[in-house]
Amino acid sequence: MGPRGGAGAELGAPRGEMPHLASGDAASSLHLRSCDADGEGQHFEIDRSGPGALLRLKASPGTCVGVDGEGAERGKRLTRADCDTGGEALRFELPERGQGPIRWAPQRNLCLTVQGPAAVEDEEFDSGAEGARMVFQVALEPCEEGLQSQAFLAPRDLGGSAFVGVNLGGWLLLEEWMWPGEMSHKGIHDEWSLIAKYGGPEDPRAQKIMHRHWENFLREEHLDQLARFGITHVRVPVGYWLMGSVYNVSDGFVDGGEVYLRRLMRWLKQRRMKAVLDLHALPGGQAVDGFTGRRYDQATFFLESAHFERGKRAAEALADLILDYEAQPSSSGVVVGIELLNEPLHDFWDAPMGIRAFYEEMVPWVRQKLPAEKYMVLLSFMDSPHTPTADWLAEARSKDPVSFAGVVYDLHLYHLFGDNTAPWTPGQDHCKTCCRDPHLIKPMFSKSVPSIIGEYALSTGFAGWEEDGFARTHLENQWSLFNTTEAVVGSFQWNFRLLLPDEKLDMYKEWSLLDLINSGYLPPDGVYGSDLSARCPQLGDRVGSECPSFENMTVIWTSRCEWQLRANASASAPGRTLSAEEAESIVELAVARRSCGLEWFALVASLLLGVRV
């Protein structure tokens, strides 16, 4: 499936099952079975012409999912049918707000339901494969509120339910705080300095420590755990030196990381996961931070023409690498996007060799190689408010709709680095996510500019995140915001893991998704056990009645947010801000509402639709 980029849709479940319309009259009913990335019977198009929607088989557009009219009132089978002659019986009502039941249009009390295991005799199906243990019937059953076997993720106008992804940061590009035992605790502030400590890029000691890190920091079992949690996409930060045509030993980096990236592509395809490759570090540094590989006093990428031109070659080389992966059967279809710059210093937006100039030249060039129907192009911006850059991207999409088709605004949305303030309470972050952050996204949404939250985190900058179920509530609030904001295509949490020091295992744990799961702060099937159908549903009607007001186009990422008492509250005058104790009650309410019935892993089928953005 493309990056919200084709008309194809996949109907599947958390553990990788996929509805499959088998060929032949003997096996024409709809079953849930193991996914096959190239399986013709598993890709559908959504036809919204007329009332309800037709589910067309992509490989045979004249064939639709239909209902066996001979069946009983309940338990009606879903079968192949002729789209042109089936009439209303082929139409289904999809959930309007991202997830929920899929109803049969002629009888709205009947819903698509995943049933128990079924025996399928089908020559297309390898009975000896692992997937043979995961074949389920799909039929129409009476709709029941809250029944997880009837909970589907459904398409929206801008491309379906927002995907939930994670960053694979600290792997192919080191950051000091993510490997404190080897770096920050020893005064090493970037990858370049670590390699220099071990004698430089040609020294066997430096090569050994880097290859050992690449080999072990990301393993297959990590991807299995992430997939079970509900992660479908990964963002992979890389440095310009990863590409062989750009690599120069004099830069001070060890060569050879691309071999491990290529291996990752194979692993991801085996798990039907997708990737965005992020050019996280440019020659000379596009920012003054260690994430550029070498910390500089200035963002010399924008100051020296040699760096700027070499950065263009790095973007070209990354596009070529993506095409190479696409040409290999073991990794085709995995990469769905490229990011040209990460967090460039916004002071250089309009410089002669600046961010705008880089984007205006490189986007059309990259688009010639990477077509919009297969690949997103992510553009990172660091202004706040985001109105000027959102306006620029909207105008660029209008002036050059071919080159800028599928170009997505990458917004990084953190609640720290100067945002949260002491004394911190959970209510601060709930207010910001549920009331303020929608306005931070508004400049893009108001211009119909598709967006991705390329980085966000559970971290608040303060202790206390580990108490009273805050971690789960805060993360679900963020997912629900992204899922219910139509301009948002998906999100990537920072980060999948850290190398926590043995003497301080809780240090930065809130940044490590796998450690949060393994420590019990998050359930192993977190995404699938969450209600993302409305913004911050755990907080009840407080979002509608107690959010403060903001100016859509002027609110910035450090704007404070304080819950307001309801106008009819008897204990105080209208507009009084909540005390810390009152704000805490929001969390208690949320925990109480989510404490029941979500600890087991349920089979929830999902419908993911790709639509060109």
Side-chain angles (χ1 to χ4, degrees):
M1 184 183 72
R4 302 284 203 252
E10 295 180 348
L11 191 63
R15 288 181 175 173
E17 295 87 356
M18 189 76 69
H20 177 86
L21 278 176
S23 60
D25 295 336
S28 62
S29 59
L30 189 69
H31 291 84
L32 206 67
R33 53 168 280 186
S34 289
C35 299
D36 177 354
D38 301 314
E40 291 187 350
Q42 298 180 355
H43 295 263
F44 298 85
E45 295 177 340
I46 309 302
D47 182 346
R48 295 180 182 272
S49 60
L54 294 173
L55 305 180
R56 293 181 180 270
L57 189 62
K58 188 175 181 181
S60 176
T63 301
C64 286
V65 175
V67 176
D68 186 351
E70 300 302 321
E73 175 68 17
R74 59 181 298 155
K76 288 179 180 288
R77 290 195 313 148
L78 299 174
T79 66
R80 288 173 174 260
D82 187 324
C83 298
D84 295 329
T85 61
E88 187 182 8
L90 306 187
R91 296 196 172 272
F92 298 86
E93 296 182 6
L94 304 179
E96 294 181 357
R97 301 202 61 184
Q99 65 177 271
I102 296 179
R103 297 178 181 271
W104 188 35
Q107 292 179 238
R108 297 186 68 257
N109 65 314
L110 296 180
C111 290
L112 226 66
T113 307
V114 179
Q115 298 181 321
V120 178
E121 294 182 2
D122 178 5
E123 62 182 6
E124 298 179 34
F125 186 70
D126 179 6
S127 61
E130 179 182 357
R133 296 194 301 271
M134 297 186 296
V135 182
F136 300 86
Q137 286 188 336
V138 180
L140 288 177
E141 293 283 356
C143 303
E144 294 184 37
E145 184 175 355
L147 189 63
Q148 294 204 359
S149 60
Q150 295 178 347
F152 290 79
L153 301 177
R156 293 194 315 248
D157 290 341
L158 285 180
S161 299
F163 67 74
V164 178
V166 73
N167 281 277
L168 304 185
W171 177 44
L172 296 176
L173 200 166
L174 304 183
E175 295 193 36
E176 57 172 321
W177 66 278
M178 302 178 73
W179 193 2
E182 187 63 47
M183 297 183 72
S184 62
H185 288 182
K186 297 182 179 180
I188 303 297
H189 300 300
D190 51 39
E191 183 171 329
W192 182 89
S193 299
L194 178 67
I195 293 169
K197 172 188 173 182
Y198 285 98
E202 296 182 298
D203 192 298
R205 295 174 299 167
Q207 294 174 353
K208 180 179 179 180
I209 194 171
M210 292 305 299
H211 280 272
R212 186 173 61 206
H213 178 75
W214 294 333
E215 177 70 35
N216 295 311
F217 186 61
L218 173 63
R219 301 190 297 273
E220 284 192 273
E221 58 263 34
H222 296 148
L223 297 178
D224 290 335
Q225 194 171 3
L226 292 171
R228 163 108 192 258
F229 186 74
I231 298 297
T232 59
H233 292 60
V234 296
R235 178 173 177 255
V236 189
V238 301
Y240 67 92
W241 57 89
L242 181 101
M243 277 66 71
S245 62
V246 183
Y247 178 81
N248 191 317
V249 69
S250 65
D251 291 329
F253 298 100
V254 171
D255 190 17
E258 191 277 323
V259 173
Y260 299 91
L261 179 60
R262 188 175 295 269
R263 182 180 69 178
L264 170 66
M265 297 300 104
R266 297 194 299 268
W267 287 353
L268 292 174
K269 179 153 186 177
Q270 292 165 7
R271 292 158 178 81
R272 298 164 297 278
M273 299 172 76
K274 305 298 181 183
V276 169
L277 301 189
D278 159 36
L279 194 52
H280 211 75
L282 276 292
Q286 75 277 14
V288 288
D289 198 290
F291 67 69
T292 61
R294 182 177 182 181
R295 183 173 291 176
Y296 292 87
D297 293 331
Q298 300 182 81
T300 56
F301 172 72
F302 300 115
L303 298 173
E304 298 183 15
S305 60
H307 289 327
F308 197 71
E309 293 302 317
R310 196 170 174 220
K312 295 177 187 177
R313 297 204 310 272
E316 295 170 0
L318 185 57
D320 288 337
L321 184 62
I322 291 171
L323 290 176
D324 185 31
Y325 293 153
E326 183 64 26
Q328 307 301 318
S330 62
S331 55
S332 62
V334 171
V335 179
V336 296
I338 182 174
E339 184 149 16
L340 302 182
L341 280 175
N342 175 70
E343 296 189 354
L345 193 60
H346 192 69
D347 294 349
F348 293 95
W349 168 248
D350 261 333
M353 294 184 297
I355 303 166
R356 178 174 180 169
F358 187 79
Y359 286 162
E360 288 180 345
E361 179 177 352
M362 294 310 299
V363 168
W365 190 96
V366 167
R367 187 49 83 214
Q368 290 180 16
K369 289 202 168 189
L370 304 179
E373 60 267 22
K374 284 189 175 181
Y375 303 100
M376 297 179 286
V377 176
L378 278 65
L379 302 183
S380 177
F381 304 91
M382 293 301 288
D383 58 337
S384 186
H386 301 290
T387 307
T389 49
D391 288 347
W392 169 82
L393 184 50
E395 184 179 2
R397 287 166 57 86
S398 176
K399 287 183 176 180
D400 189 355
V402 175
S403 297
F404 281 82
V407 175
V408 179
Y409 192 111
D410 177 15
L411 169 66
H412 294 183
L413 192 55
Y414 289 108
H415 286 185
L416 62 163
F417 308 124
D419 182 12
N420 278 345
T421 55
W424 175 82
T425 67
Q428 281 190 40
D429 280 283
H430 298 324
C431 187
K432 287 173 180 177
T433 298
C434 305
C435 304
R436 183 201 66 182
D437 290 354
H439 297 274
L440 294 177
I441 307 173
K442 184 70 172 181
M444 287 72 79
F445 175 70
S446 66
K447 298 287 185 178
S448 297
V449 172
S451 306
I452 277 179
I453 312 301
E455 295 182 20
Y456 67 101
L458 188 148
S459 180
T460 67
F462 293 90
W465 63 267
E466 69 279 13
E467 299 174 1
D468 301 323
F470 170 79
R472 181 172 181 175
T473 301
H474 183 36
L475 200 54
E476 289 183 359
N477 283 345
Q478 293 179 94
W479 292 336
S480 71
L481 168 63
F482 307 152
N483 194 58
T484 56
T485 303
E486 291 187 358
V488 176
V489 178
S491 62
F492 294 100
Q493 184 178 347
W494 192 279
N495 189 49
F496 87 106
R497 73 177 296 220
L498 277 67
L499 288 174
L500 304 175
D502 292 337
E503 68 277 14
K504 293 183 179 180
L505 288 176
D506 288 332
M507 182 180 183
Y508 301 137
K509 179 180 286 188
E510 69 269 32
W511 290 90
S512 175
L513 179 57
L514 290 177
D515 282 293
L516 290 169
I517 298 169
N518 293 334
S519 299
Y521 293 108
L522 298 174
D525 59 338
V527 178
Y528 298 113
S530 301
D531 178 8
L532 310 181
S533 60
R535 191 200 315 167
C536 304
Q538 296 188 40
L539 304 187
D541 61 358
R542 288 180 180 270
V543 175
S545 62
E546 298 179 12
C547 276
S549 61
F550 291 95
E551 294 295 329
N552 279 339
M553 303 303 183
T554 60
V555 61
I556 62 175
W557 69 280
T558 55
S559 295
R560 297 192 65 182
C561 189
E562 296 180 329
W563 293 98
Q564 305 295 307
L565 273 185
R566 306 181 190 190
N568 62 352
S570 59
S572 62
R576 182 178 71 81
T577 58
L578 292 176
S579 67
E581 291 76 14
E582 290 168 326
E584 292 287 349
S585 70
I586 300 171
V587 184
E588 294 171 4
L589 174 64
V591 172
R593 289 184 174 182
R594 300 294 290 165
S595 62
C596 209
L598 293 176
E599 298 304 321
W600 54 283
F601 185 84
L603 179 64
V604 183
S606 62
L607 182 60
L608 303 177
L609 175 67
V611 174
R612 180 176 300 176
V613 295

